Every structure is written in C-alpha cells, then in structure tokens.
C-alpha cells in the first residue's frame, strides 16, 4: 500500500488548519502559562502601528528584537492586513511549522533508495520513511508548542530548508540553480541568527559536512580536469560557509544604541547575538535561571561560581553530561514532582511527560536502527547526526529552566526523524541494496 507525496503535502495543510482552529478554541485569549505568544502579539502590534517598540513593556522590546524578528516581522505584516495580533502570531508559527514539515517530506522524496522502492511519486505506508513523516507531523508536543507563536518553527524551517538547498546544489549542474541554492543556505543562516543565534553554528557545521562529503564523493568519481571542474563549485560553497561560520561564531561585537532603528538592530544582530557572546554570558544565564524557581525546575548548578577563571569552565564541564541527558529525558516522573512546583505545571504535567517519553523513545529507536540496519544516504545521515549532537550540546550549555528546554528540544526532532527515514535493509539481510545510479555516483547523496 502506498500514498502519494501530494497527499502527504495535503495532510500537512489539513493538520495546520486543524491546529489553528483547535488552539483558537482552547486558548482564544492566550494563556498565562505560556506568556510568550501574548508578548509577541503585543509587540507585533506595536511594530505594525509604528509605535515605540524599543520602549514597549519597560524596554523589553529592545531585548526581543531582532532576536524574534523571524516571527514578529511576518506577524506585524498580518496585523497590518487586518488579522488580530494573537491570531497573526499563531498563524505565522503554524505556517512556518507546516513549511518545515513539507520540507522534510521533500527531502525524503529525494533519497534515491526511497524512490526506487515503489515509484518516484509514491511512498510505502508501512515503512520507516512514512513513520518518520508521521512522527514529525503528528507528534503531540510538536503540534502544541509549534502552534503557540514560539520560535522553534522558524529554527526548524531554516535548518530543513538549508539541507534541501544543499541537496539541490550538489545535484544541479546549472550555475544559476547552484547560486540560488547557496543564497537560500545563507538566508537560512540569517534566519537562525534572528531566531536562536547559538543554533547557527550547528547548521553551518552540518551543512559544511554535507557539502564536503559530496565533494569527496565527486573527487573519487571523476579524474583529471573533470575532477577540478566538478569540485570547484562545491569547494567554493564550503569556503563561503566556513568563512560565514567563523564570522558567526566570533561576531563583530557591534552593539546597537538605544536610539537604533529596527534596520540597524538587524544589521548588528550577528555581533550582538554571537554564540561566543552567549558562552561569555553563561554566568549571567546561570544566575538568572537560579532565580526562576516557581516557573520551572532549574537544572544548572553554577550560579555561585566566580565570574571568570578555571572554576567556571570546570563547573560547566561537570554539569554538561547531566544537562545533556536532561534535555532528552526531562521532565519525567518520579524525578520531577510537578505538584510541588505550581498549579500550572501540575495541570500540564502528564502532557509534558508524554513528550519526554516520546523523545526518549525516538533516541532509542534511532540507536537501535543504526546498529541493526543499513543507512540509505551516509551524507544525509552525517548531516543529521552532526546537527543533533551540536544542538544538543548547545542546549545543554545555554538552557537552565525546564519550561524552556522542553520547548527548545523540538529543534532536535527533525534530525531524529530524518535518521529514521534513512533506515534501509537489515544488516543481516541477504538482499543487496540497489546499485547506485549515475546521479548518486556524481553527487554522493545516495552513498
């Protein structure tokens, strides 16, 4: 039994509409337990009306922009067109999430081994790729959090769109198509920088791995002058991505003044939000999360460490393994007592524990499949693994509050689903995988 990719795209659209209607019915005026979307709606309305967005909410507007511009910009446009502020923010978040889901489906459809199983435009219903799509589209935690005007949708879309652009880049021989794909990749990095800056290095690293892997594959497939001609575009792209990575990690250090316009704040956002500056600000992050208390369980233990010196690095190194595990597994009973926290956490305790169980199950499934099955595309698998590990470490370093990290770990969902989709024949199977096509040999995508 098979299903067409067109039907899957239709499913994504139907689920998006259902999410918007359901969230509107359940939380018509927003929720005090999830105030971010209410704040985003108010600030988007100020931006739309040309108000003093920097002074909004005692200066909080200046701290939220341009970090949330990926969401607030389109939401402000929707408000200008007559959409209610809260509905506009939710609509943007759901649309970005739906586009990310469609992007993952497209990436899966390009895997040569998947196309050869039935036909180029259909997918087996009972198979690992279909399971990956179902989890990514229908996972309850993802449906809920990505409908509340939060930034995970923008980050996930930027990551998947960058991977899709890389696939187009290595498979096309046309200069215009390749140039356009590279521009899309750079645009995705920019979207990361105005969403969650500390995720951008993970995207750059994983994209660089994919391009470098394909460069090596092409180098083995051709010889002589043809090798240089084939490698030149990819090596150029790798160099551009590498230089952008250095600039992103180091940052310019520019700081916009209080009188800066919205455009100038966007222009200086790379320096302001540099991941290196996030690392330098770790002590402040620890001290701030230590005061959260009632709003969530704090997993950090470095708030009392001196501001500088070896002690801080030593403490961060000690907390990193436990924090990494917490990102995947918590909140979970009996480790976390929701009733002892607040009525809000007690009300949503069961739902978030289901999300944690799903997260653990996905990681265990991926490890099991990696040990027992062949991989359909090693470049894509390496890309997903590098992204997953990099983001997981970044989250463990930056996060300190359970209410935040259980939302942010949604950014780890797509690499897990992609790895599930890349599952091939069992390692002990006597069947041989299909011989690589000429396209796979020249691009390395299917190796």
């Amino acid at each position: 039994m098979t299903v067409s990719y067109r039907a899957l795209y239709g499913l994504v659209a139907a689920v998006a509409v259902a999410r918007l209607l359901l969230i509107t019915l359940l939380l018509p005026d927003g929720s005090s337990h999830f105030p971010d979307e209410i704040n985003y709606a108010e600030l988007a309305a100020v931006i739309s009306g040309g108000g003093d967005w920097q002074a909004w909410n005692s200066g909080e507007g200046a701290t939220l922009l341009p970090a949330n511009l990926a969401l607030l910009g389109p939401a402000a446009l929707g408000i200008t067109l007559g959409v209610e502020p809260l509905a506009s923010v939710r609509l943007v978040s759901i649309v970005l999430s739906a586009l990310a889901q469609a992007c993952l489906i497209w990436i899966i459809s390009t895997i040569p081994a998947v196309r050869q199983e039935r036909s180029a435009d259909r997918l087996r219903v009972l198979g690992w790729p279909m399971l990956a799509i179902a989890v990514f589209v229908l996972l309850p935690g993802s449906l809920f959090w990505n409908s509340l005007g939060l930034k995970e949708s923008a980050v996930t879309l930027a990551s998947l769109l960058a991977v899709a652009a890389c696939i187009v880049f290595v498979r096309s021989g046309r200069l215009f198509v390749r140039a356009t794909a590279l521009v899309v990749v750079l645009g995705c990095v920019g979207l990361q920088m105005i969403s969650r800056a500390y995720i951008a290095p993970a995207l750059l690293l994983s994209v660089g791995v994919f391009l470098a892997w394909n460069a090596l594959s092409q180098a083995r497939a051709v010889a002589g002058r043809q090798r240089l001609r084939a490698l030149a575009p990819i090596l150029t792209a790798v160099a551009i991505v590498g230089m952008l990575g250095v600039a992103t990690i180091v940052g310019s250090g520019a700081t916009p003044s209080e009188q800066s316009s919205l455009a100038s704040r966007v222009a200086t956002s790379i320096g302001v939000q540099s991941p290196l500056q996030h690392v330098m600000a770790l002590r402040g992050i620890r001290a701030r999360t230590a005061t959260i208390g009632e709003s969530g369980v704090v997993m950090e233990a470095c708030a009392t460490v001196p501001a500088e010196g070896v002690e801080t690095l030593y403490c961060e190194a000690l907390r990193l393994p436990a924090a990494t595990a917490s990102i995947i597994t918590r909140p979970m009973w009996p480790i976390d007592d929701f009733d002892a926290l607040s009525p809000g956490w007690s009300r949503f305790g069961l739902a978030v524990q289901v999300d944690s169980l799903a997260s653990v199950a996905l990681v265990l499934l991926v490890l099991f499949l990696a040990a027992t099955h062949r991989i359909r595309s090693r470049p894509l698998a390496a890309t997903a693994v590098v992204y997953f590990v990099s983001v997981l470490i970044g989250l463990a370093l930056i996060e300190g509050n359970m209410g935040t990290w259980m939302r942010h770990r949604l950014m780890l969902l797509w690499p897990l689903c992609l790895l599930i989709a890349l599952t091939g024949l069992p390692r002990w199977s006597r069947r041989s995988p299909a011989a690589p096509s000429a396209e796979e040999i020249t691009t390395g995508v299917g190796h």
Side-chain angles (χ1 to χ4, degrees), residues 16-31 34 37 86-87 90-91 94 140 143-149:
V17 173
R19 287 163 59 187
L20 182 59
L21 293 176
L22 185 61
I23 291 296
T24 302
L25 291 175
L26 292 178
L27 301 171
D29 301 317
S31 171
F34 313 109
E37 65 164 354
L86 189 61
R90 289 174 170 177
L91 180 61
I94 291 176
L143 292 176
F144 181 73
W145 290 113
N146 284 334
S147 302
L148 293 178

Side-chain angles (χ1 to χ4, degrees), residues 337-361:
D337 184 2
F338 295 93
D339 292 331
L341 292 174
S342 67
W345 277 107
S346 178
R347 180 181 305 174
F348 296 101
L350 178 60
V352 297
Q353 287 188 76
V354 169
D355 203 33
S356 297
L357 290 173
S359 176
V360 173

Side-chain angles (χ1 to χ4, degrees), residues 69-142:
L69 196 61
L71 178 68
L72 295 176
L77 178 60
I79 295 171
T80 303
L81 296 176
V83 182
E84 290 296 324
L86 189 61
S88 182
V89 169
R90 289 174 170 177
L91 180 61
V92 171
S93 183
I94 291 176
V95 167
L96 293 178
S97 176
L99 290 175
Q101 294 166 359
C103 201
L104 178 68
I105 294 174
W106 183 87
I107 291 173
I108 292 175
S109 73
T110 65
I111 301 173
V114 174
R115 297 205 312 264
Q116 293 168 6
E117 287 183 352
R118 281 292 183 266
S119 64
D121 61 346
R122 302 191 71 84
L123 185 69
R124 285 196 306 165
V125 173
L126 299 178
W128 296 115
M130 189 62 195
L131 175 63
I133 293 172
V135 169
F136 193 66
V137 175
L138 300 176
L139 185 69
S142 178

Side-chain angles (χ1 to χ4, degrees), residues 136-213:
F136 193 66
V137 175
L138 300 176
L139 185 69
S142 178
L143 292 176
F144 181 73
W145 290 113
N146 284 334
S147 302
L148 293 178
L150 303 172
K151 295 184 291 184
E152 284 65 43
S153 298
V155 174
T156 301
L157 174 60
S159 303
L160 285 168
L161 190 58
V163 174
C166 285
I167 293 175
V168 173
F169 182 91
V170 300
R171 288 188 171 183
S172 177
R174 298 174 58 185
L175 180 60
F176 174 77
V177 174
R178 284 188 158 181
T180 302
L182 185 57
V183 170
V184 170
V185 172
L186 300 181
C188 291
V189 175
L191 181 58
Q192 294 279 41
M193 291 303 299
I194 59 175
S195 300
R196 298 205 187 282
Y198 60 90
I199 305 297
L203 178 60
L204 287 165
L205 184 59
S206 57
V207 164
V209 166
F210 182 85
L211 293 174
W213 193 300

